[in-house]
Amino acid sequence: MKGFRFTKYEPIQDPEKSTFENLLNIFLQLVTMTGGDVAEALSWLTNLDKRYNMTNPGYGIGDFIEDLKTKGYITEENQKGEIKITGKSEQTIRKNALEEIFGKLKRAKGGQHRTVHSGQGEEKGTDRRPYAFGDNIDQIALTDSIRNAQINHGFASDYLLTEDDLEVVENEFRSQTSTVLMIDISHSMILYGEDRITPAKKVAMALAELIKTRYPKDTLDVIVFGNDAWQIEIKDLPYLQVGPYHTNTVAGLELAMDLLRRRKNPNKQIFMITDGKPTCLKVGIKYYKNAFGIDSKILNETLKLAAQCRKLKIPVTTFMIASDPYLKEFVKEFTKVNNGNAYYSSLKGLGDLIFEDYRRNRTKKF
């Protein structure tokens, strides 16, 4: 007989970590979900503690709050006297997101961003060639050069090493990539009982931390789009919240293209995380809106920008976290016009897809 057996849920506790560390991990997760509202996160944490007994008689939530202040995770030193998270918390949240989303994936070689071009680049390759005037000394392959000298001149007592014996290691150029990450913050991102904005924020924070630590010469700009589009700082990601907005994809693409025009990198790309079709367009100072089906006026303007991105050699990779058939048709048409990529992803697999696509795009020239 098939069925389900329900048991009491007990949060996993790492025995090697202190009570503070275990509570800190949960607290930072809650802060992300509440859009940076520390008071609400602590209220949720208190309720969780009552239900699951995460603290003990010797260490309570009050002690945890004091430790958060002492260790520099939260502060009340602001004009309104509100409890806020600090830069240390913001960085920890990004690191935790990186570990949670990308930590289980296989590590690539550090700084891997290779092209087909070789020469006086930044990363040692595997190709060898004879020494030529102008080559740097640190390019000389000592073992191969000594072997050549022994082959060419024998093992006489007077060891002889000439310029003709020298071999150098070709260095490979590592190109740089500029990425704009577009995040949909329309109201549908929290509708139907599903929180889609929190996973999107985590992916953005993980990608930001990945680029800062592993690909520091790459750039990442994050923009959000609802009725309008605007750029946000990476440090502001934990505070991001959904608004009562429609979806103005045109505004998002226009801003993304404007940001990429300022970047000098030859490789440019746009990642767009959304759960719906474009439903809004700004005409002059007024908004043209239609949330019922796919509006041809809005669609045509969106496709025009997709074509412009293609002309500028800016591929758009769309991560659609919804699977409605008519939404798939929109993404299919948009991707065809742009010659980009599209993925229909569950929230669980979103991070894996973005990481793999980012890494793959870094190894080719657009």
Side-chain angles (χ1 to χ4, degrees):
M1 178 179 176
K2 294 183 178 180
F4 298 93
R5 177 176 296 175
F6 295 94
T7 59
K8 181 180 178 181
Y9 172 72
E10 296 182 2
I12 299 175
Q13 301 285 338
D14 188 341
E16 296 183 0
K17 291 185 177 180
S18 65
T19 303
F20 172 79
E21 291 174 313
N22 285 317
L23 289 174
L24 177 64
N25 181 50
I26 299 172
F27 168 72
L28 294 177
Q29 295 274 0
L30 294 174
V31 165
T32 304
M33 295 176 68
T34 61
D37 190 328
V38 175
E40 186 177 2
L42 289 173
S43 177
W44 288 9
L45 184 64
T46 302
N47 289 331
L48 288 173
D49 180 43
K50 289 180 181 178
R51 189 168 184 178
Y52 300 114
N53 300 317
M54 297 182 296
T55 59
N56 55 67
Y59 190 91
I61 295 296
D63 298 312
F64 173 67
I65 295 173
E66 287 302 314
D67 280 348
L68 286 175
K69 294 177 182 178
T70 304
K71 297 178 185 293
Y73 287 98
I74 61 175
T75 180
E76 292 179 287
E77 296 178 2
N78 53 73
Q79 292 180 346
K80 296 182 179 180
E82 297 175 348
I83 303 177
K84 299 286 186 182
I85 61 173
T86 62
K88 181 178 181 179
S89 289
E90 294 167 358
Q91 184 179 24
T92 305
I93 289 171
R94 291 196 301 270
K95 287 183 176 180
N96 289 350
L98 177 63
E99 183 178 348
E100 175 186 340
I101 293 173
F102 298 150
K104 61 182 178 296
L105 298 175
K106 294 181 179 179
R107 284 185 173 271
K109 292 182 179 179
Q112 182 176 354
H113 188 12
R114 297 177 178 170
T115 69
V116 295
H117 307 289
S118 61
Q120 295 182 358
E122 302 175 44
E123 183 175 340
K124 289 189 179 299
T126 56
D127 295 335
R128 303 286 193 273
R129 62 170 174 79
Y131 173 85
F133 179 77
D135 287 332
N136 294 326
I137 295 178
D138 60 1
Q139 285 183 258
I140 295 176
L142 292 177
T143 302
D144 298 299
S145 299
I146 292 173
R147 182 197 62 207
N148 293 337
Q150 292 174 341
I151 293 174
N152 296 334
H153 310 296
F155 294 90
S157 57
D158 295 331
Y159 181 77
L160 184 63
L161 177 69
T162 67
E163 182 179 325
D164 293 334
D165 301 322
L166 298 179
E167 283 190 18
V168 296
V169 181
E170 284 279 31
N171 285 353
E172 297 175 338
F173 282 107
R174 291 184 295 172
S175 59
Q176 300 173 16
T177 300
S178 289
T179 303
V180 172
L181 178 61
M182 295 173 52
I183 303 176
D184 184 352
I185 58 168
S186 62
H187 189 53
S188 61
M189 292 288 279
I190 56 171
L191 281 180
Y192 316 116
E194 186 172 34
D195 177 11
R196 296 170 177 174
I197 191 64
T198 299
K201 286 195 293 184
K202 285 187 177 182
V203 167
M205 289 187 288
L207 186 61
E209 195 66 17
L210 176 78
I211 290 174
K212 289 178 66 176
T213 55
R214 194 178 300 182
Y215 308 111
K217 293 187 178 181
D218 285 8
T219 65
L220 174 67
D221 294 295
V222 181
I223 65 176
V224 295
F225 61 106
N227 289 351
D228 297 288
W230 60 95
Q231 185 178 10
I232 64 172
E233 299 292 332
I234 290 173
K235 65 180 181 63
D236 296 328
L237 279 168
Y239 310 101
L240 186 61
Q241 292 182 313
V242 169
Y245 307 125
H246 285 70
T247 308
N248 191 344
T249 309
V250 168
L253 290 171
E254 286 177 339
L255 179 56
M257 292 168 65
D258 185 50
L259 289 172
L260 289 174
R261 284 191 190 98
R262 306 174 196 173
R263 298 297 184 184
K264 304 303 181 184
N265 292 343
N267 300 328
K268 302 175 181 182
Q269 62 185 349
I270 297 172
F271 287 166
M272 179 168 64
I273 303 174
T274 182
D275 71 334
K277 61 190 182 299
T279 60
C280 179
L281 193 65
K282 196 168 186 179
V283 182
I285 61 173
K286 295 184 177 181
Y287 293 97
Y288 175 84
K289 303 174 183 177
N290 183 4
F292 303 98
I294 297 180
D295 187 287
S296 59
K297 181 176 180 178
I298 299 174
L299 177 63
N300 289 337
E301 290 299 315
T302 307
L303 295 180
K304 282 182 184 178
L305 285 178
Q308 287 183 31
C309 286
R310 180 175 182 175
K311 187 179 294 185
L312 294 171
K313 296 183 179 179
I314 301 175
V316 181
T317 304
T318 305
F319 298 91
M320 177 61 74
I321 49 179
S323 56
D324 304 57
Y326 73 100
L327 293 180
K328 287 186 176 182
E329 285 301 316
F330 156 69
V331 174
K332 183 178 180 181
E333 188 171 2
F334 179 87
T335 304
K336 182 178 179 181
V337 171
N338 175 255
N339 196 30
N341 296 306
Y343 299 96
Y344 306 95
S345 169
S346 65
L347 293 171
K348 186 176 180 180
L350 182 62
D352 294 7
L353 286 175
I354 287 184
F355 175 82
E356 293 296 343
D357 204 72
Y358 177 78
R359 189 169 63 180
R360 180 168 56 250
N361 285 348
R362 296 185 80 257
T363 61
K364 65 183 180 183
K365 295 182 76 66
F366 297 125

